[in-house]
Amino acid sequence: MKLELRRNDPCSCGSGKKYKKCCMKKENVIQLHAVKEERFYQQKHALVVKVKDFVSKKLPLSKQYQLHTEFKRRTDHTLNEQAEKQFFDFWLIFFNRFENGLRGIELFVHENGSRLSEDEREMANTWSSLKPRLIQAIDSGEKSVLFEDAFTHERFPVARMQENLPSVAPWYGTIALLEPFDTLFYFNGVRKFESPQNFHYAVKKVDDLREEKELNHEQILMDYFPEILAAIAKGEERELGTKEIHQYNSYYTIEDFEAVDSFFQNEGIFVMDKWEPAQKLCNWVENWHQYSDSEISGPIRMGSVYGSIRIEGNQLTFVTLDEARAEEFKGMMERVGAVSFVNEETHTQTVPFQVEIINTISSMNEDTPQYFAFYAKHDLRFDLDKSLPLFDGSSISELIAAGRKDEVEAYLQQREYSLYVQAHYEFKDIAVTPDFNSVRRELGLPLSPFVTGGKSRASSIEKIDSPLAKKISIVKEEDIPNYELLGFTPATVDNFFAGDFVTFFKEKTEGKSDLTLRKYRNCLFDLREIFLEHPVSSWEECDETFWHNVFLADFPNLYKPLTKTVVKDFASTTKALAKWIEKEKGVKGLSKVVNQIAKDAEEPLLELV
């Protein structure tokens, strides 16, 4: 039961001060700000209604239609219907000038100031003094997001609350009016947040108009608000062109099923998706890399998928996006000599030039969120030396060497924003952002404040040998028949128990009868299936609960019905294995635990016979 703190009690934060002198003050400040903030918004909403009503009555309906048509033309029809109506009303109040030269808000204050309450008059005067700003998010905190003016470089802590900032993304920007209140700033009216790329284009648009019209940036933002809004909404229209992507499908007829099955199981470059008699699916995977990150418990291994294989009946189909891989696979099949080539097809699709299809496969710890594989796949370090059309074929590394760090900074901001937005779209809840700080250190650029972990965040990418090849290399050639006898495949031989099962099996069956061999083979085959269903990675993790589930849940589910012989054989084999593991691996207490559970499970298991 949680007791309420009294004023003179020691503060629960551990400061040693009385509650009234410590956190009670902080809580009161927070509560007071929340109350003031709510009243502030109530007053804003009430005043907006009055100003909109006033401006609407001042403009004849025909004039409103005329202005609306002008606004749509000047914004280049870039806004959807709902946004267009909101921004049009906003423009009428704060930007459009009446015949007397006054803006809507200025005319409202001029004609209604004396009839407003003191608070309303003060707020209305504040609104009439606000100037539009092009601002970009440059830092983020728990209570506020720091925005910077693109021209004056002034910085504004903007309140981080749902009505003011529904969401936050790295480096995004907007054109807006900022209203100060109680140490923070709040957006006045509507605003449209866009990518850093679009933001920088809007800044360029202001600079171009400033030079053309010979006006300062404040006047440009005020007089050409619709044009700047259009610029930040649609960004720069770059003509990068299109390109063709080809898909190559090769078809084969299988003549020797055993040879084909052995090839795909043992070649060391194929990852199985499904390998059943009716249908077999796998991927040709090479070019393996390992991604490590300070925010996850273990590394992520990634491989490039060169192509996909499907086997149904006696038909084998290979699909790839690389013509050279299609020819290489054809050479593999010729060497196997167990299939005959039928024909091939090419399917072509036209896509934007900047589109790149990245097909990878990854493995990671069970507690690692899926979006980390997405981060690893799109890590910038894969692209540092790639030719980029955006920079006329130069790479990031070449730009840095040429001293063009500002261009690289802008590019990194856009990449971080895009990856963050895409990750939120695909995975919804993202607790950790992608790491752009490690690559920023490599490039000698300032760290990003939007990266989880800040300056302590660290990640790396390194090329590794194929895990599939490693699986095969750890198995002695003379032991392969025993691994196969116990049901192991190249995809499962790297499990911690595989080698122990085979060594134990060899010791217990060498020189013994076929009956003994079948007993140990069948029981270890069952144990392998059971172990593969549990997320254990060492004998130490096989605790009492694990073995209880093995005997009373997993094992009975393998047999319908059970027989007395199967129960007795499984219990004696498992107890012998536990005794052997305890002796050979030094896992203390394992034999005692397994013996007791086997004894307790015998009666309920025999009842199922």
Side-chain angles (χ1 to χ4, degrees), residues 55-121:
V55 171
S56 180
K57 289 177 179 178
K58 280 290 181 182
L59 289 170
L61 201 56
S62 60
K63 182 64 174 176
Q64 290 187 41
Y65 284 137
Q66 179 188 340
L67 289 172
H68 197 184
T69 301
E70 177 190 340
F71 183 78
K72 286 195 288 186
R73 175 184 59 78
R74 294 178 64 186
T75 54
D76 200 17
H77 305 277
T78 54
L79 306 173
N80 61 45
E81 188 175 344
Q82 181 181 359
E84 185 181 82
K85 178 63 171 67
Q86 292 173 336
F87 275 103
F88 175 64
D89 292 341
F90 181 57
W91 177 68
L92 285 181
I93 294 172
F94 289 100
F95 299 91
N96 180 58
R97 296 187 182 275
F98 285 76
E99 292 180 357
N100 59 6
L102 295 178
R103 294 176 295 132
I105 182 63
E106 293 170 340
L107 190 60
F108 173 81
V109 172
H110 178 73
E111 294 190 9
N112 295 278
S114 61
R115 293 192 293 272
L116 298 174
S117 67
E118 184 177 344
D119 287 344
E120 286 179 325
R121 186 164 55 251

Side-chain angles (χ1 to χ4, degrees), residues 139-171:
D139 204 348
S140 178
E142 183 181 352
K143 300 296 182 183
S144 66
V145 175
L146 190 64
F147 283 82
E148 182 177 82
D149 188 298
F151 301 102
T152 68
H153 302 295
E154 295 171 86
R155 295 184 172 186
F156 305 92
V158 175
R160 188 168 187 167
M161 56 173 293
Q162 183 64 26
E163 192 163 356
N164 195 50
L165 274 177
S167 62
V168 177
W171 309 108

Side-chain angles (χ1 to χ4, degrees), residues 214-276:
E214 296 183 349
L215 298 170
N216 61 39
H217 78 273
E218 288 185 356
Q219 201 62 51
I220 293 295
L221 289 170
M222 184 67 76
D223 295 349
Y224 294 90
F225 175 80
E227 287 78 8
I228 308 307
L229 180 61
I232 199 170
K234 69 178 181 180
E236 185 177 7
E237 296 178 352
R238 295 186 176 129
E239 291 295 332
L240 295 178
T242 60
K243 65 181 179 182
E244 290 184 339
I245 291 179
H246 306 288
Q247 178 180 300
Y248 304 92
N249 296 356
S250 304
Y251 303 96
Y252 301 83
T253 298
I254 299 175
E255 297 170 352
D256 185 338
F257 284 92
E258 187 175 339
V260 169
D261 189 80
S262 176
F263 171 75
F264 286 112
Q265 291 267 21
N266 298 298
E267 185 67 12
I269 57 174
F270 298 102
V271 176
M272 308 301 166
D273 283 342
K274 182 180 181 182
W275 210 252
E276 298 173 358

Side-chain angles (χ1 to χ4, degrees), residues 377-396:
K377 174 181 176 179
H378 294 281
D379 194 281
L380 182 66
R381 283 164 286 201
F382 285 120
D383 300 333
L384 290 182
D385 297 314
K386 281 187 179 179
S387 173
L388 300 175
L390 178 65
F391 301 114
D392 298 323
S394 296
S395 67
I396 296 296

